[in-house]
Amino acid sequence: MFLDDSACNLASINLVKYLQEDGSFDMDGYRHTIKVMTTAQEILVDFSSYPTAEIAKNSHDYRPLGLGYANLGTLLMLSGIPYDSDQGRGIGGALTAILTGKAYETSAQIAARIGPFSGYGKNQKPFLKVMRKHRAAAYALNPDHTPSQMLTVAQQAWDDAVKAGEQYGYRNAQATVLAPTGTIG
């Protein structure tokens, strides 16, 4: 749920593309893709057309993005991990934390250069409170069910996102969403 009369451009990262032959997950490639896609989606906000003036105004003022991922189930199956398992949920939680943390870090880096979204000033305190809650959730991931490298990267992503946001604010009021991929396919 987000603001009424707003829109975001949706995009999904195919997680299977980061599964390497040895069964490991390409964390560097995943993080790089998140940064590139967040930047590209931010640029698209100004080049998109919107159905009404009110939707256009809110979309420009709050700059919501909808970066997500696809094929988590396939990634888990190819890795021999049951989808409905503690380990599956741990991996899903970590990959989601990395996605959102890295996207918000990128949003803050963009804000450092061109400023935060126009509604950020009046929302700064609660916005940072939410970001800190996300960071706490990354640290609450169960280390018994989450691969150690993913856990470390997820926690670092949120440390970086909060630190950058505290310093620069965020360019986007929303950065990620896990939309049903059939809606954007």
Side-chain angles (χ1 to χ4, degrees), residues 111-126:
R113 296 176 102 6
I114 56 179
F117 66 92
S118 65
Y120 182 73
K122 67 182 177 185
N123 291 294
Q124 181 177 3
K125 187 176 178 179

Side-chain angles (χ1 to χ4, degrees), residues 43-181:
I43 293 167
L44 283 174
V45 170
D46 291 327
F47 289 99
S48 295
S49 61
Y50 301 94
T52 68
E54 190 171 8
I55 291 173
K57 180 179 181 349
N58 284 336
S59 297
H60 288 282
D61 287 351
Y62 290 89
R63 311 190 72 76
L65 308 181
L67 182 60
Y69 59 67
N71 285 327
L72 174 62
T74 303
L75 174 76
L76 294 173
M77 285 188 277
L78 290 171
S79 301
I81 299 165
Y83 188 76
D84 185 20
S85 68
D86 289 336
Q87 188 178 11
R89 285 184 285 279
I91 290 169
L95 291 174
T96 305
I98 294 164
L99 172 75
T100 308
K102 186 64 178 176
Y104 274 113
E105 178 195 6
T106 303
S107 180
Q109 291 167 343
I110 296 169
R113 296 176 102 6
I114 56 179
F117 66 92
S118 65
Y120 182 73
K122 67 182 177 185
N123 291 294
Q124 181 177 3
K125 187 176 178 179
F127 201 98
L128 288 172
K129 183 178 179 181
V130 169
M131 295 295 104
R132 291 180 189 120
K133 284 183 176 186
H134 281 290
R135 179 178 58 193
Y139 277 89
L141 289 167
N142 189 329
D144 294 333
H145 305 300
T146 309
S148 61
Q149 181 192 23
M150 277 188 189
L151 181 62
T152 300
V153 171
Q155 293 166 346
Q156 186 64 55
W158 274 103
D159 287 341
D160 295 343
V162 170
K163 182 179 178 183
E166 288 172 342
Q167 189 169 3
Y168 305 115
Y170 298 93
R171 183 69 177 156
N172 312 94
Q174 175 181 302
T176 60
V177 66
L178 292 181
T181 52

